Amino acid sequence: MCRVIVITSGKGGVGKTTITANLGTAVAQLGKKVCLIDADFGLRNLDLLLGLEQRVVYTIIDALAGECSLEKAIVRDKRTKGLHLLPAAQNRTKEAITPRQMKEVIQQLSSHFDFIFVDCPAGIEMGFRNAISAATEALIVTTPEVAAVRDADRVVGLLESENMGSIHLIVNRLRPEMVQLDEMLSVEDILDLLVVPLIGIIPDDKRIITSSNKGEPLVLNAEPSLPGIAITNIAKRLNGIDSEFLDLMANQDSLIARIRRFLGLSLN
Amino acid sequence: MSQGLNNKEQINLIKKGEIVVVNLPSQNKQEINQWQRIIDNFKTRLHKIDRSWQSGTKAQIQSQDTLLDTRQLNELEQILEQVGLTIDVIITRRRQTAVAAASAGYSVNQESSRILGYKTIESEIIQELAEPLYLKNTIRSGVEICHPSTIIIMGDVNPGASIISHGDVLIWGTLKGIAHAGATGNHEAVIMALKMQPTQLRIADLVATASTLPTDEYIAEIAYISSEGIKIHVASNFYRYYDFVSANNTWEMKDQAKFPRNV
Ligand SMILES: Nc1ncnc2c1ncn2[C@@H]1O[C@H](COP(=O)(O)OP(=O)(O)OP(=O)(O)O)[C@@H](O)[C@H]1O
Ligand SMILES: [Mg+2]
Protein backbone atom coordinates (compact mmCIF):
# COMPACT_ATOMS: atom_id res chain seq x y z
CA MET A 1 0.00 0.00 0.00
CA CYS A 2 1.38 3.36 -1.03
CA ARG A 3 1.20 6.19 1.52
CA VAL A 4 0.57 9.61 0.07
CA ILE A 5 1.82 12.32 2.42
CA VAL A 6 1.54 16.05 1.83
CA ILE A 7 4.02 18.42 3.47
CA THR A 8 2.29 21.72 4.05
CA SER A 9 2.42 24.82 6.25
CA GLY A 10 0.30 27.74 5.15
CA LYS A 11 3.11 30.23 5.73
CA GLY A 12 5.93 30.34 3.20
CA GLY A 13 9.60 29.73 3.83
CA VAL A 14 9.27 27.57 6.92
CA GLY A 15 11.14 24.61 5.42
CA LYS A 16 8.63 22.45 3.51
CA THR A 17 10.88 21.87 0.52
CA THR A 18 13.96 21.32 2.68
CA ILE A 19 12.08 18.77 4.75
CA THR A 20 10.57 17.05 1.69
CA ALA A 21 14.03 16.59 0.16
CA ASN A 22 15.63 15.35 3.35
CA LEU A 23 12.76 13.26 4.62
CA GLY A 24 12.29 11.65 1.20
CA THR A 25 15.99 10.77 1.14
CA ALA A 26 15.86 9.43 4.70
CA VAL A 27 12.82 7.24 3.97
CA ALA A 28 14.52 5.90 0.83
CA GLN A 29 17.59 5.13 2.96
CA LEU A 30 15.35 2.87 5.02
CA GLY A 31 14.86 0.79 1.88
CA LYS A 32 11.54 2.21 0.68
CA LYS A 33 10.58 3.22 -2.83
CA VAL A 34 9.87 6.92 -2.64
CA CYS A 35 8.55 9.48 -5.12
CA LEU A 36 8.69 13.19 -4.32
CA ILE A 37 6.21 15.37 -6.16
CA ASP A 38 6.94 19.05 -6.50
CA ALA A 39 3.52 20.70 -6.37
CA ASP A 40 4.93 24.22 -6.24
CA PHE A 41 4.27 25.21 -9.83
CA GLY A 42 6.03 28.32 -10.98
CA LEU A 43 8.39 28.28 -8.00
CA ARG A 44 9.80 24.80 -8.21
CA ASN A 45 12.97 24.14 -6.29
CA LEU A 46 12.79 20.63 -4.98
CA ASP A 47 14.99 19.54 -7.91
CA LEU A 48 17.61 22.10 -6.85
CA LEU A 49 17.73 20.88 -3.28
CA LEU A 50 18.16 17.32 -4.49
CA GLY A 51 20.83 18.33 -6.98
CA LEU A 52 18.70 17.00 -9.84
CA GLU A 53 18.15 20.22 -11.76
CA GLN A 54 20.20 19.23 -14.79
CA ARG A 55 18.38 15.94 -15.14
CA VAL A 56 14.87 17.40 -15.36
CA VAL A 57 13.65 16.99 -18.95
CA TYR A 58 9.91 16.69 -18.64
CA THR A 59 7.53 17.85 -15.95
CA ILE A 60 4.20 16.74 -14.58
CA ILE A 61 2.53 19.15 -17.03
CA ASP A 62 4.14 17.45 -20.03
CA ALA A 63 2.91 14.13 -18.74
CA LEU A 64 -0.62 15.47 -18.28
CA ALA A 65 -0.60 17.00 -21.74
CA GLY A 66 0.35 13.61 -23.15
CA GLU A 67 3.70 14.88 -24.41
CA CYS A 68 5.48 12.15 -22.52
CA SER A 69 4.62 9.22 -20.32
CA LEU A 70 4.49 9.74 -16.60
CA GLU A 71 7.43 7.32 -16.25
CA LYS A 72 9.50 9.54 -18.50
CA ALA A 73 8.86 12.64 -16.46
CA ILE A 74 10.11 10.95 -13.30
CA VAL A 75 13.76 11.52 -12.46
CA ARG A 76 15.56 8.74 -10.62
CA ASP A 77 18.06 9.95 -8.05
CA LYS A 78 21.27 8.01 -8.70
CA ARG A 79 22.75 8.87 -5.33
CA THR A 80 19.94 7.47 -3.24
CA LYS A 81 18.55 4.09 -4.19
CA GLY A 82 14.77 4.14 -4.36
CA LEU A 83 14.39 7.94 -4.51
CA HIS A 84 12.50 9.56 -7.40
CA LEU A 85 11.28 13.04 -8.27
CA LEU A 86 8.33 14.19 -10.33
CA PRO A 87 9.21 17.80 -11.14
CA ALA A 88 6.81 20.73 -11.37
CA ALA A 89 6.74 23.08 -14.33
CA GLN A 90 8.60 26.29 -13.74
CA ASN A 91 6.81 28.23 -16.47
CA ARG A 92 3.26 27.55 -15.29
CA THR A 93 1.03 28.94 -12.60
CA LYS A 94 -0.68 27.05 -9.84
CA GLU A 95 -3.86 26.94 -11.90
CA ALA A 96 -2.18 24.88 -14.61
CA ILE A 97 -3.44 21.69 -13.03
CA THR A 98 -6.65 20.71 -11.23
CA PRO A 99 -7.01 18.68 -8.03
CA ARG A 100 -8.62 15.94 -10.10
CA GLN A 101 -5.62 15.72 -12.43
CA MET A 102 -3.30 15.62 -9.46
CA LYS A 103 -5.34 12.78 -8.00
CA GLU A 104 -5.12 10.83 -11.24
CA VAL A 105 -1.35 11.27 -11.47
CA ILE A 106 -0.87 10.10 -7.91
CA GLN A 107 -3.21 7.17 -8.43
CA GLN A 108 -1.12 6.02 -11.40
CA LEU A 109 2.08 6.34 -9.40
CA SER A 110 0.80 4.66 -6.27
CA SER A 111 1.28 1.10 -7.47
CA HIS A 112 4.99 1.74 -8.04
CA PHE A 113 5.94 3.34 -4.74
CA ASP A 114 5.80 2.79 -0.99
CA PHE A 115 5.74 6.51 -0.23
CA ILE A 116 4.73 9.58 -2.19
CA PHE A 117 5.61 12.92 -0.62
CA VAL A 118 3.97 16.02 -2.04
CA ASP A 119 5.80 19.33 -1.49
CA CYS A 120 3.01 21.86 -1.11
CA PRO A 121 3.31 25.53 -2.08
CA ALA A 122 2.71 28.21 0.55
CA GLY A 123 -0.79 29.62 0.88
CA ILE A 124 -4.21 28.02 0.92
CA GLU A 125 -5.27 28.63 -2.67
CA MET A 126 -5.38 26.41 -5.72
CA GLY A 127 -1.81 25.11 -5.36
CA PHE A 128 -2.61 23.98 -1.84
CA ARG A 129 -5.85 22.33 -2.99
CA ASN A 130 -3.94 20.44 -5.66
CA ALA A 131 -1.25 19.30 -3.28
CA ILE A 132 -3.66 17.95 -0.67
CA SER A 133 -6.15 16.44 -3.12
CA ALA A 134 -4.76 12.91 -3.18
CA ALA A 135 -3.00 12.85 0.16
CA THR A 136 -4.27 10.70 2.99
CA GLU A 137 -1.72 11.96 5.48
CA ALA A 138 -0.35 15.41 6.18
CA LEU A 139 2.78 16.71 7.83
CA ILE A 140 2.34 20.29 9.02
CA VAL A 141 5.57 22.25 9.18
CA THR A 142 5.82 25.27 11.44
CA THR A 143 8.61 27.33 12.89
CA PRO A 144 8.38 28.61 16.47
CA GLU A 145 6.96 31.94 15.31
CA VAL A 146 3.51 33.28 16.05
CA ALA A 147 2.64 33.95 12.41
CA ALA A 148 3.76 30.51 11.25
CA VAL A 149 1.79 28.80 14.01
CA ARG A 150 -1.30 30.86 13.17
CA ASP A 151 -1.12 29.79 9.54
CA ALA A 152 -0.51 26.20 10.57
CA ASP A 153 -3.68 26.38 12.64
CA ARG A 154 -5.64 27.63 9.65
CA VAL A 155 -4.27 24.80 7.51
CA VAL A 156 -5.07 22.18 10.15
CA GLY A 157 -8.65 23.47 10.16
CA LEU A 158 -8.85 23.17 6.38
CA LEU A 159 -7.35 19.68 6.42
CA GLU A 160 -9.79 18.60 9.11
CA SER A 161 -12.67 19.79 6.99
CA GLU A 162 -11.25 17.76 4.09
CA ASN A 163 -11.25 14.72 6.37
CA MET A 164 -7.50 14.26 6.11
CA GLY A 165 -6.73 10.83 7.55
CA SER A 166 -3.84 11.71 9.80
CA ILE A 167 -2.14 15.00 10.61
CA HIS A 168 1.24 15.29 12.31
CA LEU A 169 3.35 18.27 13.27
CA ILE A 170 7.00 19.06 12.56
CA VAL A 171 8.52 21.99 14.40
CA ASN A 172 11.41 23.32 12.33
CA ARG A 173 14.20 25.74 13.14
CA LEU A 174 13.94 25.45 16.88
CA ARG A 175 16.64 27.22 18.84
CA PRO A 176 16.68 25.68 22.32
CA GLU A 177 18.81 28.44 23.75
CA MET A 178 16.23 31.01 22.69
CA VAL A 179 13.38 28.97 24.10
CA GLN A 180 15.20 28.72 27.38
CA LEU A 181 15.55 32.48 27.51
CA ASP A 182 11.84 32.73 26.73
CA GLU A 183 12.64 34.51 23.47
CA MET A 184 10.98 31.90 21.31
CA LEU A 185 7.79 29.89 21.42
CA SER A 186 8.39 26.48 22.94
CA VAL A 187 7.19 23.25 21.40
CA GLU A 188 4.73 23.05 24.27
CA ASP A 189 3.30 26.47 23.39
CA ILE A 190 2.80 25.32 19.82
CA LEU A 191 1.23 22.01 20.77
CA ASP A 192 -1.03 23.76 23.25
CA LEU A 193 -2.54 25.78 20.44
CA LEU A 194 -2.57 23.32 17.57
CA VAL A 195 -3.38 20.12 19.44
CA VAL A 196 -1.83 18.03 16.66
CA PRO A 197 0.46 15.06 17.44
CA LEU A 198 4.16 15.87 17.13
CA ILE A 199 6.33 13.75 14.85
CA GLY A 200 9.57 15.67 14.95
CA ILE A 201 11.56 18.70 16.01
CA ILE A 202 14.35 19.95 13.75
CA PRO A 203 16.86 22.39 15.19
CA ASP A 204 17.91 25.52 13.36
CA ASP A 205 21.27 24.77 11.80
CA LYS A 206 23.28 26.53 9.13
CA ARG A 207 24.39 23.21 7.68
CA ILE A 208 20.84 22.86 6.34
CA ILE A 209 21.43 25.96 4.26
CA THR A 210 24.87 24.94 3.03
CA SER A 211 23.67 21.48 2.06
CA SER A 212 20.67 22.99 0.23
CA ASN A 213 22.99 25.25 -1.72
CA LYS A 214 25.12 22.26 -2.70
CA GLY A 215 22.09 20.29 -3.80
CA GLU A 216 22.94 17.59 -1.33
CA PRO A 217 20.39 16.69 1.34
CA LEU A 218 21.98 16.84 4.77
CA VAL A 219 20.90 13.31 5.62
CA LEU A 220 23.30 12.05 2.91
CA ASN A 221 26.23 13.50 4.77
CA ALA A 222 28.54 10.82 6.14
CA GLU A 223 29.21 12.92 9.20
CA PRO A 224 26.14 12.81 11.43
CA SER A 225 24.50 16.13 12.24
CA LEU A 226 21.77 17.02 14.65
CA PRO A 227 19.21 18.12 12.04
CA GLY A 228 20.10 15.05 9.98
CA ILE A 229 19.39 12.77 12.92
CA ALA A 230 16.16 14.63 13.64
CA ILE A 231 14.96 14.07 10.08
CA THR A 232 16.03 10.42 10.03
CA ASN A 233 14.06 9.99 13.24
CA ILE A 234 10.97 11.39 11.54
CA ALA A 235 11.50 8.91 8.70
CA LYS A 236 11.71 6.10 11.24
CA ARG A 237 8.63 7.24 13.09
CA LEU A 238 6.70 7.36 9.84
CA ASN A 239 7.65 3.71 9.45
CA GLY A 240 6.62 2.81 12.94
CA ILE A 241 10.20 2.38 14.14
CA ASP A 242 11.42 4.06 17.33
CA SER A 243 8.67 5.10 19.67
CA GLU A 244 10.99 7.31 21.67
CA PHE A 245 9.01 10.40 20.89
CA LEU A 246 5.69 9.01 21.89
CA ASP A 247 7.23 8.24 25.28
CA LEU A 248 8.50 11.78 25.39
CA MET A 249 5.03 13.04 24.85
CA ALA A 250 3.54 10.85 27.53
CA ASN A 251 6.15 11.88 30.03
CA GLN A 252 5.38 14.62 32.48
CA ASP A 253 8.87 16.10 32.00
CA SER A 254 9.04 19.29 30.03
CA LEU A 255 9.40 18.41 26.38
CA ILE A 256 12.01 21.06 25.90
CA ALA A 257 14.10 19.80 28.78
CA ARG A 258 14.05 16.35 27.25
CA ILE A 259 15.00 17.64 23.87
CA ARG A 260 17.80 19.68 25.26
CA ARG A 261 19.08 16.56 26.93
CA PHE A 262 18.75 14.76 23.62
CA LEU A 263 20.60 17.54 21.85
CA GLY A 264 23.33 17.51 24.47
CA LEU A 265 23.76 13.76 24.22
CA SER A 266 24.10 13.63 20.48
CA LEU A 267 26.59 16.44 20.45
CA ASN A 268 28.99 14.57 22.73
CA MET B 1 -31.77 15.48 -16.74
CA SER B 2 -32.12 19.19 -16.51
CA GLN B 3 -35.75 19.04 -17.55
CA GLY B 4 -38.43 20.31 -15.26
CA LEU B 5 -36.33 22.84 -13.40
CA ASN B 6 -37.30 26.40 -13.85
CA ASN B 7 -34.93 29.19 -12.97
CA LYS B 8 -36.04 29.35 -9.37
CA GLU B 9 -35.33 25.73 -8.70
CA GLN B 10 -31.75 25.73 -9.86
CA ILE B 11 -28.43 26.89 -8.51
CA ASN B 12 -27.54 30.30 -9.85
CA LEU B 13 -24.21 32.07 -9.82
CA ILE B 14 -24.13 35.84 -9.61
CA LYS B 15 -20.90 37.82 -9.70
CA LYS B 16 -20.90 40.67 -7.19
CA GLY B 17 -17.66 42.62 -7.28
CA GLU B 18 -14.84 40.40 -6.11
CA ILE B 19 -17.02 37.52 -5.04
CA VAL B 20 -19.52 35.16 -6.61
CA VAL B 21 -22.82 34.57 -4.87
CA VAL B 22 -24.08 31.03 -5.23
CA ASN B 23 -27.83 31.05 -4.79
CA LEU B 24 -29.31 27.73 -3.81
CA PRO B 25 -33.00 27.30 -4.56
CA SER B 26 -35.27 27.46 -1.55
CA GLN B 27 -36.87 24.27 -0.40
CA ASN B 28 -40.50 24.51 -1.34
CA LYS B 29 -41.61 20.93 -1.31
CA GLN B 30 -40.50 17.80 0.45
CA GLU B 31 -39.45 16.22 -2.78
CA ILE B 32 -37.29 13.10 -2.59
CA ASN B 33 -33.97 13.48 -4.37
CA GLN B 34 -34.54 17.17 -4.94
CA TRP B 35 -30.90 17.87 -4.03
CA GLN B 36 -29.62 15.26 -6.46
CA ARG B 37 -31.79 16.73 -9.18
CA ILE B 38 -30.54 20.25 -8.49
CA ILE B 39 -26.93 19.08 -8.42
CA ASP B 40 -27.24 17.09 -11.62
CA ASN B 41 -28.80 20.06 -13.28
CA PHE B 42 -26.02 22.30 -12.04
CA LYS B 43 -23.34 19.90 -13.25
CA THR B 44 -24.82 19.74 -16.71
CA ARG B 45 -24.96 23.52 -16.90
CA LEU B 46 -21.46 23.94 -15.50
CA HIS B 47 -19.51 24.13 -18.73
CA LYS B 48 -22.02 26.59 -20.10
CA ILE B 49 -21.62 28.94 -17.15
CA ASP B 50 -20.03 32.19 -18.16
CA ARG B 51 -16.80 32.28 -16.19
CA SER B 52 -16.08 35.95 -15.75
CA TRP B 53 -13.93 35.36 -12.67
CA GLN B 54 -10.46 34.09 -11.91
CA SER B 55 -9.61 30.76 -10.34
CA GLY B 56 -9.68 30.89 -6.60
CA THR B 57 -12.43 33.50 -6.50
CA LYS B 58 -14.39 33.44 -3.26
CA ALA B 59 -17.92 32.10 -3.32
CA GLN B 60 -20.67 33.01 -0.90
CA ILE B 61 -23.24 30.26 -0.55
CA GLN B 62 -26.76 31.62 -0.06
CA SER B 63 -28.48 28.48 1.10
CA GLN B 64 -31.55 30.23 2.54
CA ASP B 65 -33.76 27.60 4.17
CA THR B 66 -32.25 24.59 2.44
CA LEU B 67 -31.10 21.84 4.78
CA LEU B 68 -27.56 20.83 3.91
CA ASP B 69 -25.40 18.17 5.48
CA THR B 70 -21.60 17.86 5.39
CA ARG B 71 -21.68 15.49 2.43
CA GLN B 72 -23.79 17.88 0.38
CA LEU B 73 -21.55 20.80 1.31
CA ASN B 74 -18.48 18.83 0.23
CA GLU B 75 -20.18 17.89 -3.01
CA LEU B 76 -20.99 21.52 -3.67
CA GLU B 77 -17.45 22.56 -2.85
CA GLN B 78 -16.01 20.04 -5.30
CA ILE B 79 -18.29 21.17 -8.08
CA LEU B 80 -17.56 24.84 -7.48
CA GLU B 81 -13.86 24.07 -7.42
CA GLN B 82 -14.14 22.90 -11.01
CA VAL B 83 -15.19 26.38 -12.06
CA GLY B 84 -12.50 27.99 -9.93
CA LEU B 85 -14.62 28.98 -6.96
CA THR B 86 -13.61 28.53 -3.32
CA ILE B 87 -16.29 28.58 -0.65
CA ASP B 88 -15.76 31.58 1.59
CA VAL B 89 -18.86 31.60 3.73
CA ILE B 90 -22.16 29.78 4.00
CA ILE B 91 -25.18 31.90 4.67
CA THR B 92 -28.14 30.00 5.99
CA ARG B 93 -31.38 30.40 7.86
CA ARG B 94 -31.30 26.83 9.12
CA ARG B 95 -29.57 25.88 12.31
CA GLN B 96 -28.79 22.33 11.16
CA THR B 97 -27.11 23.69 8.07
CA ALA B 98 -25.11 26.14 10.16
CA VAL B 99 -23.99 23.35 12.47
CA ALA B 100 -23.05 21.05 9.58
CA ALA B 101 -21.18 23.82 7.81
CA ALA B 102 -19.34 24.99 10.90
CA SER B 103 -18.30 21.51 11.95
CA ALA B 104 -17.03 20.92 8.42
CA GLY B 105 -14.82 23.96 8.91
CA TYR B 106 -16.65 26.47 6.75
CA SER B 107 -17.29 30.00 7.87
CA VAL B 108 -20.95 30.36 8.64
CA ASN B 109 -23.29 33.26 8.71
CA GLN B 110 -26.70 32.46 9.97
CA GLU B 111 -29.38 34.93 8.88
CA SER B 112 -27.59 37.40 6.62
CA SER B 113 -24.51 39.43 5.98
CA ARG B 114 -26.29 42.33 7.63
CA ILE B 115 -25.24 40.98 11.01
CA LEU B 116 -23.06 43.97 11.78
CA GLY B 117 -25.80 46.45 11.01
CA TYR B 118 -26.87 47.24 14.53
CA LYS B 119 -30.40 47.18 15.83
CA THR B 120 -32.31 46.09 12.80
CA ILE B 121 -35.80 45.17 13.84
CA GLU B 122 -35.77 42.09 11.67
CA SER B 123 -32.73 40.62 13.37
CA GLU B 124 -34.24 41.25 16.78
CA ILE B 125 -37.21 39.19 15.80
CA ILE B 126 -34.96 36.47 14.46
CA GLN B 127 -32.98 36.51 17.66
CA GLU B 128 -36.03 35.60 19.67
CA LEU B 129 -36.82 32.75 17.37
CA ALA B 130 -33.32 31.38 16.98
CA GLU B 131 -32.10 28.51 19.09
CA PRO B 132 -28.54 28.46 20.46
CA LEU B 133 -25.82 27.17 18.19
CA TYR B 134 -23.88 24.37 19.83
CA LEU B 135 -20.54 23.44 18.26
CA LYS B 136 -18.33 20.65 19.49
CA ASN B 137 -14.97 21.40 17.97
CA THR B 138 -11.98 23.68 18.08
CA ILE B 139 -12.58 26.81 16.04
CA ARG B 140 -9.35 27.42 14.21
CA SER B 141 -7.76 30.49 12.65
CA GLY B 142 -9.63 31.92 9.67
CA VAL B 143 -13.05 30.62 10.66
CA GLU B 144 -15.84 33.03 11.54
CA ILE B 145 -19.05 31.83 13.14
CA CYS B 146 -22.06 34.16 13.12
CA HIS B 147 -25.34 33.23 14.72
CA PRO B 148 -28.47 35.22 15.64
CA SER B 149 -28.62 33.72 19.10
CA THR B 150 -26.36 32.32 21.81
CA ILE B 151 -23.31 30.36 20.66
CA ILE B 152 -21.87 27.55 22.76
CA ILE B 153 -18.48 26.13 21.84
CA MET B 154 -17.12 22.92 23.31
CA GLY B 155 -13.47 23.47 22.50
CA ASP B 156 -10.98 26.26 22.06
CA VAL B 157 -11.40 29.37 19.96
CA ASN B 158 -7.95 29.91 18.51
CA PRO B 159 -6.34 33.23 17.57
CA GLY B 160 -7.57 34.36 14.17
CA ALA B 161 -11.02 32.84 14.69
CA SER B 162 -14.08 34.92 15.56
CA ILE B 163 -17.37 34.09 17.20
CA ILE B 164 -20.16 36.60 16.58
CA SER B 165 -23.46 36.19 18.35
CA HIS B 166 -26.56 38.33 18.79
CA GLY B 167 -26.87 36.65 22.17
CA ASP B 168 -24.30 35.30 24.62
CA VAL B 169 -21.07 33.51 23.79
CA LEU B 170 -20.17 30.57 26.03
CA ILE B 171 -16.86 28.87 25.47
CA TRP B 172 -16.18 25.60 27.20
CA GLY B 173 -12.47 25.89 26.52
CA THR B 174 -9.92 28.65 26.01
CA LEU B 175 -10.89 31.82 24.20
CA LYS B 176 -7.87 33.14 22.32
CA GLY B 177 -9.58 34.63 19.29
CA ILE B 178 -12.29 37.28 19.05
CA ALA B 179 -15.71 36.97 20.62
CA HIS B 180 -18.55 39.40 19.98
CA ALA B 181 -21.70 39.01 22.07
CA GLY B 182 -24.87 41.01 21.60
CA ALA B 183 -23.65 41.95 18.14
CA THR B 184 -26.89 43.71 17.28
CA GLY B 185 -26.60 45.99 20.28
CA ASN B 186 -27.74 43.94 23.27
CA HIS B 187 -25.85 45.28 26.30
CA GLU B 188 -27.11 42.45 28.48
CA ALA B 189 -25.16 39.88 26.48
CA VAL B 190 -22.11 38.27 28.10
CA ILE B 191 -19.08 36.27 27.08
CA MET B 192 -18.05 33.38 29.26
CA ALA B 193 -14.96 31.21 28.87
CA LEU B 194 -13.22 28.59 30.97
CA LYS B 195 -10.00 30.41 30.16
CA MET B 196 -10.04 34.01 28.95
CA GLN B 197 -7.10 34.91 26.73
CA PRO B 198 -8.92 36.78 24.00
CA THR B 199 -7.41 38.84 21.24
CA GLN B 200 -10.41 41.10 21.59
CA LEU B 201 -13.75 41.07 23.35
CA ARG B 202 -16.76 42.87 22.01
CA ILE B 203 -20.14 43.27 23.58
CA ALA B 204 -22.73 45.24 21.64
CA ASP B 205 -20.84 48.33 20.42
CA LEU B 206 -18.07 48.19 23.04
CA VAL B 207 -14.61 46.78 22.46
CA ALA B 208 -11.94 45.62 24.88
CA THR B 209 -8.51 44.56 23.70
CA ALA B 210 -6.21 42.05 25.27
CA SER B 211 -3.91 44.62 26.85
CA THR B 212 -6.72 46.15 28.86
CA LEU B 213 -7.72 42.80 30.25
CA PRO B 214 -6.10 40.72 32.96
CA THR B 215 -4.27 37.69 31.58
CA ASP B 216 -3.27 34.24 32.73
CA GLU B 217 -6.25 33.61 34.95
CA TYR B 218 -6.96 29.93 35.14
CA ILE B 219 -10.56 30.20 36.26
CA ALA B 220 -13.78 30.48 34.33
CA GLU B 221 -14.56 34.12 33.74
CA ILE B 222 -17.35 36.23 32.37
CA ALA B 223 -17.12 39.47 30.42
CA TYR B 224 -19.99 41.93 30.80
CA ILE B 225 -20.81 45.57 30.28
CA SER B 226 -20.40 47.70 33.40
CA SER B 227 -20.79 51.44 33.72
CA GLU B 228 -17.06 51.68 32.96
CA GLY B 229 -17.08 49.54 29.86
CA ILE B 230 -16.35 45.86 29.43
CA LYS B 231 -15.22 44.15 32.61
CA ILE B 232 -14.32 40.64 33.61
CA HIS B 233 -15.48 38.77 36.69
CA VAL B 234 -15.15 35.24 38.05
CA ALA B 235 -17.94 33.35 36.36
CA SER B 236 -19.00 31.09 39.19
CA ASN B 237 -20.65 33.76 41.33
CA PHE B 238 -21.35 36.49 38.79
CA TYR B 239 -25.10 36.08 38.74
CA ARG B 240 -25.22 36.00 42.51
CA TYR B 241 -23.66 39.46 42.75
CA TYR B 242 -24.70 41.24 39.60
CA ASP B 243 -27.97 42.29 38.03
CA PHE B 244 -28.67 43.80 34.68
CA VAL B 245 -30.17 47.27 35.13
CA SER B 246 -32.16 48.04 32.03
CA ALA B 247 -32.47 51.71 32.89
CA ASN B 248 -28.69 52.17 32.70
CA ASN B 249 -28.14 49.44 30.15
CA THR B 250 -25.35 47.99 32.31
CA TRP B 251 -24.67 45.18 34.74
CA GLU B 252 -24.48 46.47 38.31
CA MET B 253 -23.64 44.97 41.65
CA LYS B 254 -26.69 43.95 43.61
CA ASP B 255 -27.34 46.03 46.69
CA GLN B 256 -26.99 43.16 49.15
CA ALA B 257 -23.69 42.22 47.55
CA LYS B 258 -22.23 45.60 48.36
CA PHE B 259 -22.32 44.82 52.05
CA PRO B 260 -20.56 41.88 53.60
CA ARG B 261 -23.04 39.57 55.25
CA ASN B 262 -21.00 38.68 58.34
CA VAL B 263 -20.37 42.04 59.89
N1 LIG C 1 16.24 23.76 10.17
C1 LIG C 1 16.72 24.77 9.43
N2 LIG C 1 17.81 25.46 9.82
C2 LIG C 1 18.29 26.47 9.08
N3 LIG C 1 17.76 26.88 7.92
C3 LIG C 1 16.66 26.26 7.48
C4 LIG C 1 16.08 25.16 8.20
N4 LIG C 1 14.99 24.73 7.51
C5 LIG C 1 14.89 25.52 6.42
N5 LIG C 1 15.88 26.42 6.39
C6 LIG C 1 16.10 27.45 5.36
O1 LIG C 1 14.93 28.24 5.25
C7 LIG C 1 14.73 28.64 3.90
C8 LIG C 1 13.36 28.26 3.41
O2 LIG C 1 13.27 26.85 3.33
P1 LIG C 1 12.36 26.11 2.26
O3 LIG C 1 12.59 26.61 0.90
O4 LIG C 1 12.52 24.64 2.49
O5 LIG C 1 10.93 26.58 2.76
P2 LIG C 1 9.52 26.34 2.06
O6 LIG C 1 8.54 26.19 3.18
O7 LIG C 1 9.59 25.22 1.09
O8 LIG C 1 9.32 27.71 1.32
P3 LIG C 1 8.16 28.07 0.24
O9 LIG C 1 6.94 28.31 1.05
O10 LIG C 1 8.68 29.29 -0.41
O11 LIG C 1 8.03 26.88 -0.66
C9 LIG C 1 15.85 27.99 3.11
O12 LIG C 1 16.87 28.92 2.90
C10 LIG C 1 16.31 26.87 4.00
O13 LIG C 1 17.65 26.54 3.76
MG1 LIG D 1 9.03 25.25 -1.00
Side-chain angles (χ1 to χ4, degrees), chain A:
Chain A
M1 243 285 283
C2 177
R3 287 167 68 183
V4 184
I5 305 177
V6 64
I7 296 170
T8 183
S9 67
K11 191 171 186 317
V14 297
K16 295 178 291 297
T17 307
T18 308
I19 289 170
T20 308
N22 279 281
L23 186 58
T25 305
V27 172
Q29 284 175 331
L30 295 176
K32 305 288 176 184
K33 275 196 89 179
V34 176
C35 186
L36 308 182
I37 299 183
D38 190 344
D40 200 346
F41 290 77
L43 289 171
R44 82 167 195 222
N45 43 35
L46 191 50
D47 53 332
L48 282 178
L49 266 63
L50 291 162
L52 294 174
E53 192 192 12
Q54 288 97 329
R55 306 219 357 247
V56 172
V57 183
Y58 299 108
T59 69
I60 190 169
I61 295 284
D62 301 314
L64 281 171
E67 280 163 34
C68 73
S69 65
L70 199 50
E71 283 81 354
K72 257 198 149 158
I74 290 175
V75 182
R76 197 170 55 80
D77 188 333
K78 288 176 185 153
R79 271 184 315 208
T80 311
K81 188 172 171 290
L83 185 63
H84 302 75
L85 169 71
L86 179 56
Q90 180 71 291
N91 58 345
R92 301 298 176 92
T93 65
K94 311 241 183 300
E95 284 77 37
I97 172 174
T98 66
R100 178 174 302 202
Q101 287 174 314
M102 188 61 124
K103 246 184 184 157
E104 280 165 13
V105 166
I106 289 177
Q107 203 139 41
Q108 281 182 52
L109 292 179
S110 61
S111 54
H112 303 285
F113 295 99
D114 301 314
F115 281 87
I116 294 177
F117 290 98
V118 185
D119 180 20
C120 185
I124 50 171
E125 288 76 35
M126 200 58 183
F128 166 78
R129 301 274 162 191
N130 281 331
I132 68 166
S133 62
T136 51
E137 300 173 45
L139 297 179
I140 308 284
V141 181
T142 187
T143 55
E145 290 164 277
V146 174
V149 175
R150 181 76 60 92
D151 289 359
D153 188 43
R154 175 96 170 98
V155 164
V156 171
L158 292 171
L159 293 176
E160 283 172 350
S161 71
E162 294 289 330
N163 298 319
M164 184 62 67
S166 96
I167 303 176
H168 285 91
L169 182 73
I170 297 176
V171 177
N172 190 22
R173 309 198 73 160
L174 193 81
R175 296 175 64 173
E177 76 285 358
M178 280 183 74
V179 175
Q180 194 161 42
L181 294 173
D182 226 4
E183 291 172 351
M184 185 179 257
L185 289 178
S186 71
V187 175
E188 279 162 329
D189 295 335
I190 299 170
L191 289 174
D192 180 51
L193 183 85
L194 296 179
V195 201
V196 167
L198 183 70
I199 197 167
I201 303 168
I202 306 170
D204 190 77
D205 193 310
K206 65 175 196 286
R207 279 171 291 181
I208 293 247
I209 303 174
T210 49
S211 76
S212 293
N213 290 339
K214 279 192 286 186
E216 224 172 77
L218 194 58
V219 289
L220 282 180
N221 221 320
E223 193 180 310
S225 65
L226 220 54
I229 294 166
I231 289 166
T232 302
N233 279 345
I234 299 175
K236 287 183 182 165
R237 285 181 203 116
L238 275 179
N239 283 284
I241 316 166
D242 171 21
S243 60
E244 190 187 358
F245 238 85
L246 298 174
D247 288 352
L248 257 177
M249 298 278 294
N251 202 294
Q252 287 302 306
D253 267 9
S254 146
L255 198 54
I256 286 301
R258 295 292 297 266
I259 285 150
R260 198 166 291 120
R261 212 174 306 158
F262 157 77
L263 295 179
L265 279 177
S266 356
L267 281 173
N268 284 339

